[in-house]
Amino acid sequence: MASREERKKRITQRREKQILDAALLVFSRKGFDKATVPDIARQAGIAVGTIYNYYPGKRDLLIAITNKYIIAPFAEFAANNAGYTDAGFIAAIMENRLSFGLEGLEKFLPLFIEMQRDPELRRRYSEKVLSPVMTMMEKLVASRIEAGAFRDVNPAVVTRAIGGMVIGFMLLYRVEGDRSPIHGIDRKNLADELASLVFQGLVRK
Amino acid sequence: MASREERKKRITQRREKQILDAALLVFSRKGFDKATVPDIARQAGIAVGTIYNYYPGKRDLLIAITNKYIIAPFAEFAANNAGYTDAGFIAAIMENRLSFGLEGLEKFLPLFIEMQRDPELRRRYSEKVLSPVMTMMEKLVASRIEAGAFRDVNPAVVTRAIGGMVIGFMLLYRVEGDRSPIHGIDRKNLADELASLVFQGLVRK
Amino acid sequence: MASREERKKRITQRREKQILDAALLVFSRKGFDKATVPDIARQAGIAVGTIYNYYPGKRDLLIAITNKYIIAPFAEFAANNAGYTDAGFIAAIMENRLSFGLEGLEKFLPLFIEMQRDPELRRRYSEKVLSPVMTMMEKLVASRIEAGAFRDVNPAVVTRAIGGMVIGFMLLYRVEGDRSPIHGIDRKNLADELASLVFQGLVRK
Amino acid sequence: MASREERKKRITQRREKQILDAALLVFSRKGFDKATVPDIARQAGIAVGTIYNYYPGKRDLLIAITNKYIIAPFAEFAANNAGYTDAGFIAAIMENRLSFGLEGLEKFLPLFIEMQRDPELRRRYSEKVLSPVMTMMEKLVASRIEAGAFRDVNPAVVTRAIGGMVIGFMLLYRVEGDRSPIHGIDRKNLADELASLVFQGLVRK
DNA sequence: CATGAATGAGTCTTCATTCAT
DNA sequence: AATGAATGAAGACTCATTCAT
């Protein structure tokens, strides 16, 4: 028995999702600058003006998307894995990210690229997502080093190398497309190969 | 004793360089879409119309830049290192690329990003640069495996992981900026750490 | 014991006043074109749609305001002073108008300005307010001339000169604002000075 | 024998005049808010974009018009009449202004009205035009009082009353249009009647 | 009656490209 | 060959008005 207030709120949220999903799709396909607000409206099946009833401008759509699809999920992920220091974690996170990345590649990579060009978005992303993730992984690597499991590497550098590998791998995957010899390979196998490379690179022998 | 023809050609080349350098700078600063042709003309110190005497349109500037600053240098590099299979090569190339990359980050990364959004540019880049480089490195890795020096990894995947690591590392470096703990570290040390990670990850023990 | 009809009517009138007062305020602050219907609704504390239940459009609000706050009061004033021919009348009306004007300057002058731009409103105002007032004053001046009290001026012209003086004085007062040397002067004194100027200008010596 | 520079400058000035004249006409007819930039372009016989090559925005057209057609002429007038203190001056200035005003009424009054709504324009107008004119007239009135020719009035108030009379008279003239009994009267006669009213109002008897 | 989300025509403004000089 | 003023198509954004609830 939803009150009037609650029903209204639900409708509002549905609209916001509708708009954000459409914007994400259009931004991904054409890039932020080339995407037009009428494009987004058409994709969402609503009128141009409606978008402006929910978001004050085109750039705010980008910000909202970033919040909803990147920052919020990461925050949740981070909260759930705060104390995790197990050795298998690296492989897990890598597979997780890689799966997520290859899956949503066409969708989110253009978004990530777009963010590169907006200093404020870049800063927000850096603060809310990258720094926490990096810090978490740094601690993990440091604890493994201390435990004698890993070689004596610089945790900060190595962490960024691993994170960068995941991102860069996806970029290359996309750029090469079906011309790449790795195009058909199963995602799980790709993740395993990367994880193994990193693990062997870190482990003390 | 330069003939009229030759002199003309020299002037033309100077103009083209003048325009392309300006375009590279402006594209890097503002991104392709936000950069305007008058911006570029102003930066080059010439009139708008002059640009159109040398290049048919704005997008052609991007293509020409890509050819001149990315594809041509790589082609030359590839020609000079065709048969290279030495083990230190990975470290060398990594340091080379990393130095180049961190150096020209602000200049070329926006260009790279821009390329991501133009399917044709992406394809050209993939064909002319990535594939040759990847093939070259694949062969190198494969020969090392055959020689028993490297573990039995998938050369295609590993090659892309390493290349991606370099690219992704630079991206993260840029996104985090001076908030990163690795911000002040010497470039040479960064390259060594990455090379060591990769080498240890590959080597058979 | 108010019938259902009467109660309904009272509610309706209250709503109309509520809307018109809000519209007057907003029009005064931002001008007709820059004022938005949502602005007015917000000011009135009601929903946008409600306004359209009482007035068919934005412009009709302006017309209704003019009727209610300018035409109707003047009509009443005119009815009450139909036969007035006393000599002190000029001073009285001038003080009255000036007081009213300086008082409601910020409120009604923008409205008056707005009216200037709408030909139909201008005509209505001219017919319903100006002509009656001018005619009334013309007669007064003429009778004073006939009585030998005033010089032999053209009553129509002089009447408009006096009326114009009041309006123009207020305009200048507003434009100059607190940079004017007359800014701090008491309203009563201002009115006296103006009335004296006019009276001396008219009186036969 | 105009140099290239000079010819260019002349063309530019012609364009600016062309645009400003068109803008003045359209603003006068429809008011600032209802006038559209395409309207102005059409009136000037040029493309929309051309206007933006000369003025950064619509509002800047209003400012430029005010400068060119109101502030600059007044500055020139003021410079030419700086020391004028003759008694006939009031009549002269009144006739001058009245002629100017009734002449350009349809053109400039809407502009004046528009200015009322833009606080910055209002301030500029007040500073550059009104204050100098008022100061000039104040001095004139004061000197006449000192000479015993005028009654002992407040020069600041009286000056604004006279200035206001001219402006207000024109306003009423316009509002009443051809329904006014003074509609057909010769401009010279109107000015004389007003000047006489003021003069008699001021003179000591 | 009251509500306020949805609509889309209408604005201002930008900028790639052209072309007369 | 160089110039840069002119062009107008295209895009972001506003807001009067409607209508389902």
Side-chain angles (χ1 to χ4, degrees):
Chain A
M1 210 178 32
S3 76
R4 185 182 306 266
E5 282 295 307
E6 280 166 338
R7 199 176 330 149
K8 198 182 288 183
K9 197 172 174 186
R10 217 167 336 114
I11 290 175
T12 291
Q13 285 179 340
R14 191 180 316 167
R15 265 275 189 270
E16 285 174 351
K17 179 172 163 38
Q18 186 184 8
I19 292 170
L20 249 39
D21 286 350
L24 173 56
L25 193 61
V26 177
F27 286 160
S28 298
R29 281 207 195 124
K30 321 205 349 180
F32 180 76
D33 289 307
K34 292 223 167 63
T36 72
V37 178
D39 277 345
I40 297 167
R42 204 173 309 120
Q43 176 64 35
I46 59 177
V48 174
T50 304
I51 291 177
Y52 286 90
N53 286 341
Y54 289 86
Y55 298 94
K58 184 180 165 188
R59 189 166 162 280
D60 300 273
L61 288 172
L62 189 59
I63 292 173
I65 289 172
T66 310
N67 284 341
K68 176 165 180 170
Y69 290 110
I70 299 190
I71 293 186
F74 260 107
E76 191 187 358
F77 174 85
N80 293 341
N81 295 275
Y84 212 1
T85 55
D86 185 84
F89 184 57
I90 288 180
I93 203 178
M94 189 168 292
E95 182 176 353
N96 178 282
R97 284 299 91 189
L98 205 61
S99 286
F100 169 80
L102 293 178
E103 192 91 355
L105 205 55
E106 286 304 323
K107 242 177 169 175
F108 291 102
L109 200 123
L111 201 68
F112 177 76
I113 287 170
E114 218 48 70
M115 273 173 36
Q116 297 302 315
R117 286 227 306 251
D118 192 306
E120 194 207 318
L121 276 185
R122 219 155 71 195
R123 192 189 48 70
R124 286 165 55 86
Y125 180 69
S126 171
E127 268 178 25
K128 305 284 183 183
V129 178
L130 275 188
S131 286
V133 170
M134 291 299 151
T135 303
M136 197 191 326
M137 283 186 64
E138 270 179 65
K139 280 184 190 154
L140 175 62
V141 171
S143 77
R144 294 275 95 197
I145 293 170
E146 217 168 315
F150 284 177
R151 296 188 297 120
D152 186 24
V153 295
N154 180 329
V157 174
V158 157
T159 296
R160 275 138 189 102
I162 298 171
M165 179 187 282
V166 175
I167 293 173
F169 186 81
M170 296 191 300
L171 267 174
L172 291 180
Y173 189 89
R174 176 166 183 260
V175 173
E176 289 197 290
D178 54 16
R179 290 177 303 278
S180 168
I182 68 171
H183 182 67
I185 300 178
D186 180 64
R187 215 147 44 214
K188 179 74 169 62
N189 290 338
L190 289 177
D192 282 349
E193 190 85 53
L194 262 63
S196 152
L197 178 68
V198 167
F199 187 75
Q200 292 299 325
L202 288 173
V203 77
R204 175 193 303 275
K205 289 151 233 185
Chain B
M1 202 178 42
S3 73
R4 185 182 305 270
E5 282 295 307
E6 279 167 338
R7 201 176 328 146
K8 197 182 284 184
K9 196 172 175 187
R10 220 172 329 115
I11 290 176
T12 292
Q13 284 179 341
R14 192 181 316 164
R15 268 274 189 268
E16 286 175 349
K17 178 171 165 38
Q18 189 183 9
I19 292 170
L20 250 39
D21 285 350
L24 173 57
L25 192 61
V26 177
F27 286 160
S28 297
R29 282 208 194 121
K30 321 197 5 173
F32 180 76
D33 288 302
K34 293 224 166 66
T36 72
V37 178
D39 276 345
I40 296 166
R42 203 174 309 120
Q43 177 64 37
I46 58 176
V48 176
T50 305
I51 291 177
Y52 283 88
N53 287 336
Y54 289 87
Y55 299 94
K58 184 180 167 187
R59 192 167 158 280
D60 301 275
L61 289 173
L62 188 60
I63 292 172
I65 289 173
T66 311
N67 284 340
K68 174 165 181 171
Y69 289 109
I70 300 189
I71 294 185
F74 260 108
E76 192 187 358
F77 174 85
N80 294 340
N81 296 274
Y84 212 1
T85 54
D86 186 84
F89 184 58
I90 288 179
I93 204 178
M94 188 166 294
E95 181 177 353
N96 179 282
R97 285 297 91 190
L98 203 62
S99 287
F100 170 80
L102 293 178
E103 194 90 354
L105 204 55
E106 287 302 323
K107 231 177 173 176
F108 290 101
L109 199 123
L111 200 70
F112 178 75
I113 287 170
E114 219 47 70
M115 274 173 38
Q116 297 303 315
R117 288 222 308 239
D118 190 316
E120 193 205 318
L121 276 185
R122 219 156 71 197
R123 193 187 49 68
R124 285 167 53 85
Y125 180 70
S126 169
E127 268 178 25
K128 305 283 185 183
V129 179
L130 274 187
S131 286
V133 170
M134 290 299 151
T135 303
M136 199 189 326
M137 283 186 64
E138 269 179 66
K139 279 184 190 153
L140 175 62
V141 170
S143 77
R144 296 274 94 198
I145 294 171
E146 219 167 315
F150 284 177
R151 296 188 298 119
D152 187 25
V153 295
N154 181 328
V157 174
V158 158
T159 295
R160 275 140 189 98
I162 297 170
M165 178 188 284
V166 176
I167 293 173
F169 186 81
M170 295 190 303
L171 270 173
L172 291 180
Y173 189 88
R174 178 174 130 103
V175 172
E176 288 196 291
D178 55 15
R179 291 177 301 278
S180 169
I182 69 170
H183 182 67
I185 299 178
D186 179 67
R187 213 150 44 216
K188 178 72 167 63
N189 290 338
L190 289 177
D192 283 348
E193 189 85 54
L194 262 63
S196 152
L197 179 67
V198 167
F199 188 75
Q200 293 297 325
L202 287 174
V203 78
R204 175 192 301 278
K205 293 150 229 184
Chain C
M1 203 175 46
S3 75
R4 183 182 305 270
E5 282 296 306
E6 280 168 337
R7 200 178 326 147
K8 196 183 283 187
K9 197 174 174 188
R10 222 174 326 116
I11 290 175
T12 292
Q13 283 180 340
R14 190 181 317 165
R15 268 274 190 267
E16 286 175 350
K17 179 171 163 39
Q18 188 183 9
I19 292 169
L20 250 36
D21 286 350
L24 173 57
L25 192 61
V26 177
F27 286 159
S28 298
R29 283 208 194 122
K30 320 195 11 171
F32 180 76
D33 288 303
K34 294 226 167 64
T36 72
V37 178
D39 276 343
I40 296 166
R42 204 174 308 119
Q43 178 63 37
I46 58 175
V48 176
T50 306
I51 292 177
Y52 284 86
N53 287 336
Y54 290 87
Y55 299 94
K58 184 182 169 186
R59 191 167 160 280
D60 301 275
L61 288 172
L62 188 59
I63 292 172
I65 288 172
T66 311
N67 286 340
K68 174 164 183 172
Y69 289 108
I70 299 189
I71 294 185
F74 260 107
E76 191 188 356
F77 175 84
N80 294 340
N81 295 275
Y84 213 179
T85 56
D86 184 84
F89 184 57
I90 288 178
I93 203 179
M94 189 167 293
E95 183 177 351
N96 177 281
R97 284 299 91 189
L98 205 61
S99 286
F100 170 80
L102 292 178
E103 194 90 356
L105 205 56
E106 288 302 324
K107 232 177 172 177
F108 289 102
L109 199 123
L111 201 69
F112 178 74
I113 287 170
E114 220 47 71
M115 272 171 39
Q116 298 302 316
R117 288 225 307 244
D118 190 317
E120 194 206 318
L121 277 185
R122 219 157 69 197
R123 193 188 49 69
R124 286 166 52 87
Y125 180 69
S126 170
E127 269 177 25
K128 306 281 185 186
V129 177
L130 275 187
S131 287
V133 169
M134 289 300 150
T135 302
M136 198 191 324
M137 284 187 64
E138 268 178 65
K139 280 183 190 157
L140 175 61
V141 170
S143 77
R144 293 276 94 198
I145 293 171
E146 219 168 313
F150 283 177
R151 297 188 296 121
D152 186 23
V153 296
N154 179 329
V157 174
V158 158
T159 295
R160 275 138 191 101
I162 298 171
M165 179 187 283
V166 176
I167 292 173
F169 186 83
M170 294 190 301
L171 268 173
L172 290 180
Y173 189 89
R174 178 174 130 105
V175 172
E176 289 197 288
D178 54 16
R179 290 176 302 278
S180 170
I182 69 172
H183 182 66
I185 301 178
D186 181 65
R187 216 148 43 217
K188 178 71 167 64
N189 291 338
L190 289 177
D192 282 349
E193 190 87 53
L194 262 62
S196 153
L197 180 68
V198 167
F199 187 73
Q200 293 297 327
L202 287 173
V203 80
R204 175 193 302 274
K205 289 150 233 181
Chain D
M1 206 175 36
S3 75
R4 184 182 305 268
E5 282 295 308
E6 280 166 338
R7 199 177 327 149
K8 198 182 286 182
K9 197 174 175 186
R10 214 163 343 109
I11 290 176
T12 292
Q13 284 179 340
R14 191 180 315 167
R15 265 274 188 272
E16 284 174 352
K17 180 171 162 38
Q18 187 184 9
I19 292 170
L20 248 38
D21 287 349
L24 174 56
L25 193 61
V26 177
F27 286 161
S28 297
R29 283 208 193 121
K30 320 199 3 175
F32 179 77
D33 289 308
K34 292 222 168 63
T36 71
V37 179
D39 278 344
I40 296 166
R42 206 173 306 119
Q43 176 63 37
I46 58 176
V48 175
T50 304
I51 291 177
Y52 286 89
N53 286 341
Y54 289 86
Y55 298 95
K58 186 181 164 187
R59 190 168 162 279
D60 300 273
L61 289 172
L62 189 59
I63 291 173
I65 289 172
T66 310
N67 284 341
K68 174 165 183 171
Y69 289 110
I70 299 190
I71 293 185
F74 259 107
E76 193 187 356
F77 174 85
N80 293 340
N81 296 274
Y84 211 1
T85 55
D86 185 85
F89 184 59
I90 287 179
I93 204 179
M94 190 166 294
E95 181 177 351
N96 179 282
R97 284 299 90 190
L98 204 61
S99 287
F100 170 80
L102 293 178
E103 194 92 354
L105 205 56
E106 287 302 323
K107 241 178 170 173
F108 291 102
L109 201 123
L111 201 68
F112 178 76
I113 288 170
E114 217 49 69
M115 272 171 39
Q116 298 302 316
R117 287 226 306 250
D118 191 305
E120 192 207 320
L121 276 185
R122 221 157 69 198
R123 192 188 49 69
R124 285 166 55 85
Y125 181 69
S126 170
E127 269 178 26
K128 305 281 183 185
V129 178
L130 275 187
S131 287
V133 170
M134 290 299 150
T135 302
M136 200 190 324
M137 284 187 64
E138 269 179 65
K139 280 184 192 155
L140 176 60
V141 170
S143 77
R144 294 275 96 199
I145 294 171
E146 217 168 317
F150 284 178
R151 298 189 295 121
D152 187 24
V153 295
N154 180 328
V157 174
V158 158
T159 295
R160 275 137 191 101
I162 298 171
M165 179 188 284
V166 175
I167 292 173
F169 186 82
M170 296 191 300
L171 269 173
L172 291 180
Y173 189 89
R174 176 164 184 263
V175 173
E176 289 196 290
D178 54 15
R179 291 176 303 278
S180 169
I182 69 171
H183 182 65
I185 301 180
D186 181 66
R187 214 151 41 217
K188 177 73 169 62
N189 291 338
L190 288 177
D192 281 350
E193 190 86 55
L194 261 63
S196 153
L197 178 67
V198 167
F199 187 73
Q200 292 298 326
L202 288 173
V203 79
R204 175 193 301 275
K205 290 149 230 184

